[in-house]
Amino acid sequence: MIEFFKKFAQATREFFQPNKKKSRKGQAKIVKRLYPKEETPSDSDQDLKLSKADLGAVLLRSLKMLSDFFYIIVLLFCVLGAGLGIGYFASQIDSVKVPAKSVLLNQVSSVNQVSKLTYANDEEISDIDTDLLRSPVDSNAISDNAKHAIIATEDENFKSHHGVVPKAVFRALVSSVLGVGSTSGGSTLTQQLIKQQVIGDDPTFKRKAREIIYSLALERYMTKDAILSSYLNVSPFGRNNKGENIAGIEEAAQGIFGVSAKDLTVPQAAYIAGLPQSPIVYSPYGPDGSLKNETNLSYGLKRQQTVLYNMYRTGYLSKKEYETYKSYDIR
């Protein structure tokens, strides 16, 4: 900033005292460059035109310096904001206690038929019966097609990470601090399971810190296959053909296609795997159990095509298989 004001003052002095810096001969050369094919103007005209040229140059230089100064200030504020946000987030992580294994496993694996209403301070208001139909099944009762479709769509690095993906967490944190981009993208299947079963979806740094610590702990307490099966058993999948709200892969397979989860084909599994992102919108059935009209049905069909492509992109389908399943009419 000091350097900026020095340059600005120097440019101003050069403008208001041009004749002290330049000889008459030098001014004549400038005039000749300005009027190469015209008659040389009078001395008064020369002074006027030189003053206008100098004024334009000073203004341009001043505007450039001001714009540079503005960008520097904006950058400094962004860095400061990001630093404060990261520091606060780190303090929140440091304050989170690692949950006991038995407690965390019980919370993740439980399939409650009763939900609790609470105040912001966690004081309970009342219990309410859930309207979600769930039928939990073991891992061996779930088709590999469904597992592959979910991994390819929701968390392609599921088999290699340890519960969280650092760069995704950092991206979400920066987006939250600066208010740009999405703050929800990048959650692993482990994080989504923790969010659904344990801590909820409150958009605060404190909740996000708990989500990260709990996810890292869960990866030590459970196998990858157990985490994936738990996720598939609790995730919402929209409505069945009776208009009832369903959760869990078995209810989705039975309620949408009339088959068991272990018998899902690739096109069926791809359709179901696309539902958790927006269950009601992508569900093929309305609240009365009837099949949606063509327009509303198209959302789920397009989502299924996206899942099939993800399965091909991540190597679960060959090029030939992808082309075959893509042309299959799931309706």
Side-chain angles (χ1 to χ4, degrees):
M1 286 189 288
I2 293 174
E3 187 65 24
F4 163 76
F5 285 114
K6 283 183 179 179
K7 290 182 179 180
F8 185 80
Q10 181 182 357
T12 305
R13 285 197 302 271
E14 289 178 358
F15 168 68
F16 285 108
Q17 298 177 340
N19 293 328
K20 292 183 180 180
K21 298 288 183 179
K22 303 173 185 176
S23 65
R24 297 293 295 179
K25 186 176 180 181
Q27 289 179 339
K29 290 181 179 179
I30 295 175
V31 172
K32 188 174 182 180
R33 287 200 303 269
L34 292 174
Y35 304 97
K37 297 182 179 180
E38 298 179 10
E39 294 183 359
T40 302
S42 64
D43 287 347
S44 60
D45 289 340
Q46 290 180 26
D47 292 339
L48 178 60
K49 293 186 180 295
L50 283 172
S51 297
K52 288 182 178 180
D54 288 343
L55 176 60
V58 170
L59 287 176
L60 288 175
R61 290 177 60 187
S62 300
L63 287 174
K64 183 179 184 304
M65 286 187 288
L66 284 172
S67 65
D68 292 342
F69 178 71
F70 173 77
Y71 287 126
I72 291 172
I73 292 298
V74 171
L75 178 62
L76 288 175
F77 273 108
C78 290
V79 171
L80 178 62
L84 290 174
I86 293 172
Y88 177 72
F89 185 60
S91 69
Q92 291 297 312
I93 288 182
D94 190 55
S95 66
V96 177
K97 295 182 179 180
V98 178
K101 180 178 180 179
S102 58
V103 174
L104 186 59
L105 291 180
N106 181 63
Q107 289 178 310
V108 167
S109 302
S110 63
V111 181
N112 296 324
Q113 296 300 319
V114 176
S115 299
K116 292 182 179 180
L117 289 177
T118 61
Y119 293 106
N121 62 358
D122 292 332
E123 182 181 349
E124 185 175 339
I125 301 174
S126 66
D127 291 340
I128 56 173
D129 292 333
T130 179
D131 65 343
L132 284 175
L133 295 181
R134 286 191 175 104
S135 299
V137 293
D138 295 331
S139 176
N140 56 15
I142 301 174
S143 168
D144 285 342
N145 294 329
K147 295 178 181 180
H148 295 163
I150 282 290
I151 291 174
T153 302
E154 296 291 335
D155 184 4
E156 62 182 86
N157 297 311
F158 175 71
K159 293 183 177 180
S160 60
H161 65 62
H162 299 290
V164 297
V165 178
K167 65 179 181 180
V169 173
F170 179 76
R171 183 172 62 248
L173 176 62
V174 172
S175 297
S176 178
V177 172
L178 301 182
V180 295
S182 172
T183 61
S184 58
S187 291
T188 65
L189 285 174
T190 311
Q191 289 175 267
Q192 292 182 48
L193 179 60
I194 290 292
K195 189 187 304 181
Q196 290 185 50
Q197 291 291 93
V198 183
I199 62 177
D201 198 20
D202 184 26
T204 63
F205 281 162
K206 184 175 182 179
R207 186 209 62 79
K208 193 67 176 178
R210 291 178 63 203
E211 177 187 304
I212 291 173
I213 297 300
Y214 284 25
S215 296
L216 293 172
L218 187 63
E219 289 272 342
R220 298 197 303 270
Y221 299 157
M222 296 178 69
T223 65
K224 287 287 187 179
D225 189 62
I227 291 173
L228 180 58
S229 298
S230 295
Y231 174 86
L232 287 168
N233 275 321
V234 301
S235 292
F237 288 98
R239 299 189 180 99
N240 62 14
N241 56 17
K242 296 180 181 178
E244 299 167 318
N245 293 323
I246 54 177
I249 190 69
E250 180 66 20
E251 284 292 341
Q254 295 283 2
I256 297 176
F257 295 112
V259 299
S260 297
K262 64 182 177 62
D263 297 322
L264 287 170
T265 64
V266 170
Q268 292 170 342
Y271 192 94
I272 289 177
L275 296 174
Q277 186 186 68
S278 186
I280 298 303
V281 174
Y282 293 144
S283 175
Y285 300 109
D288 60 352
S290 62
L291 198 65
K292 292 180 178 178
N293 60 38
E294 285 296 319
T295 299
N296 292 325
L297 192 61
S298 67
Y299 302 128
L301 297 176
K302 289 179 181 177
R303 177 66 175 164
Q304 186 231 17
Q305 291 293 310
T306 300
V307 175
L308 285 172
Y309 176 74
N310 288 336
M311 295 180 72
Y312 163 63
R313 180 177 56 83
T314 52
Y316 288 114
L317 296 178
S318 66
K319 177 70 172 178
K320 182 178 179 180
E321 289 172 330
Y322 170 61
E323 294 294 342
T324 299
Y325 295 133
K326 184 175 71 170
S327 63
Y328 180 77
D329 189 354
I330 195 67
R331 286 173 296 186

